Amino acid sequence: GESVGLHLPTLSVQEGDNSIINCAYSNSASDYFIWYKQESGKGPQFIIDIRSNMDKRQGQRVTVLLNKTVKHLSLQIAATQPGDSAVYFCAENDQGGSEKLVFGKGTKLTVNP
Amino acid sequence: GAVVSQHPSWVICKSGTSVKIECRSLDFQATTMFWYRQFPKQSLMLMATSNEGSKATYEQGVEKDKFLINHASLTLSTLTVTSAHPEDSSFYICSATGLAGGLWYEQYFGPGTRLTVT
């Protein structure tokens, strides 16, 4: 069945370092991917998305890389700040008309001052 | 971005009672709303997809008679947990999306509702 998973459940970095959060997916039909940030007790917050016709997309301090060959997605956060501490989820959608998202397991990012 | 609200933000109820959670899209018309459940330290699990004016579509393993969903308008969907039990205690999150100009909006998530059943 469909599944979206993460390689690392936790990640601890020093303030100012770059962070890389990884995600593997298994549905080759997925053509839209999103990264969400979830702070404790809150709903997911959209960070950045990418469609399958791209392999890289940049936002403010964040970059998403997509490798369709190995079905791998990553989120890079530059100059990580304490406010970046949260759980990060990748999600996929096959745009089959249902708009359903399948979420990965999540990675908890802790930024140490 | 668009705003989705949920009410209440937290609720405590006794076992056997029912509780209703509201999800509202505040500044756009949501043709589709999704309901998720999230247990501590776990990911979001989709429970059901709710389309305005029609019956909700439930994911496998989700009891439709226990989790009643009503999407009566383009800005409101409700989730009623009937005969709640302690194992229903969880964080319930809704999201909303809509179609405009032939393009889907991204999904906008609500802040979640913490349900505790005693």
Side-chain angles (χ1 to χ4, degrees):
Chain A
E2 299 176 3
S3 68
V4 179
L6 293 172
H7 297 305
L8 295 173
T10 61
L11 178 63
S12 184
V13 301
Q14 291 298 123
E15 182 178 358
D17 287 352
N18 296 332
S19 302
I20 299 176
I21 300 171
N22 296 302
C23 179
Y25 65 95
S26 60
N27 184 3
S28 57
S30 293
D31 55 8
Y32 180 54
F33 305 87
I34 311 167
W35 281 100
Y36 289 96
K37 173 186 180 183
Q38 187 180 29
E39 297 175 318
S40 182
K42 298 182 179 180
Q45 175 187 356
F46 174 92
I47 300 174
I48 192 168
D49 60 359
I50 189 168
R51 299 197 179 275
S52 59
N53 61 351
M54 303 173 68
D55 54 19
K56 180 180 180 179
R57 191 163 187 226
Q58 289 183 294
Q60 187 177 15
R61 284 203 303 119
V62 294
T63 301
V64 56
L65 298 178
L66 175 62
N67 186 331
K68 295 182 289 294
T69 302
V70 295
K71 297 178 187 171
H72 184 268
L73 192 68
S74 69
L75 175 69
Q76 300 177 1
I77 304 174
T80 315
Q81 302 168 0
D84 295 327
S85 294
V87 178
Y88 289 81
F89 294 97
C90 62
E92 63 174 333
N93 174 260
D94 65 7
Q95 300 272 308
S98 69
E99 297 302 304
K100 291 198 306 184
L101 294 176
V102 175
F103 279 79
K105 294 180 181 178
T107 292
K108 183 177 181 179
L109 175 65
T110 301
V111 182
N112 302 308
Chain B
V3 179
V4 175
S5 69
Q6 285 185 239
H7 179 79
S9 56
W10 60 271
V11 57
I12 301 173
C13 70
K14 292 187 176 181
S15 185
T17 63
S18 296
V19 61
K20 180 184 287 187
I21 302 170
E22 293 185 349
C23 176
R24 292 182 185 272
S25 58
L26 299 185
D27 49 7
F28 69 102
Q29 294 186 327
T31 52
T32 302
M33 289 183 171
F34 301 88
W35 286 96
Y36 296 84
R37 180 168 51 183
Q38 185 178 33
F39 293 109
K41 298 185 179 181
Q42 293 189 24
S43 188
L44 282 74
M45 295 298 295
L46 181 65
M47 299 175 66
T49 302
S50 168
N51 291 299
E52 185 265 339
S54 62
K55 291 185 178 180
T57 302
Y58 291 81
E59 295 300 299
Q60 191 172 9
V62 178
E63 300 175 58
K64 62 180 181 180
D65 294 330
K66 181 171 181 62
F67 299 99
L68 301 179
I69 293 172
N70 185 351
H71 192 161
S73 77
L74 286 172
T75 59
L76 174 65
S77 177
T78 61
L79 168 67
T80 301
V81 183
T82 63
S83 187
H85 292 285
E87 57 266 30
D88 298 323
S89 298
S90 188
F91 194 50
Y92 291 86
I93 306 170
C94 72
S95 70
T97 188
L99 188 64
L103 297 175
W104 285 98
Y105 298 151
E106 66 180 71
Q107 280 191 34
Y108 296 99
F109 283 82
T113 297
R114 174 74 60 192
L115 170 63
T116 301
V117 184
T118 62

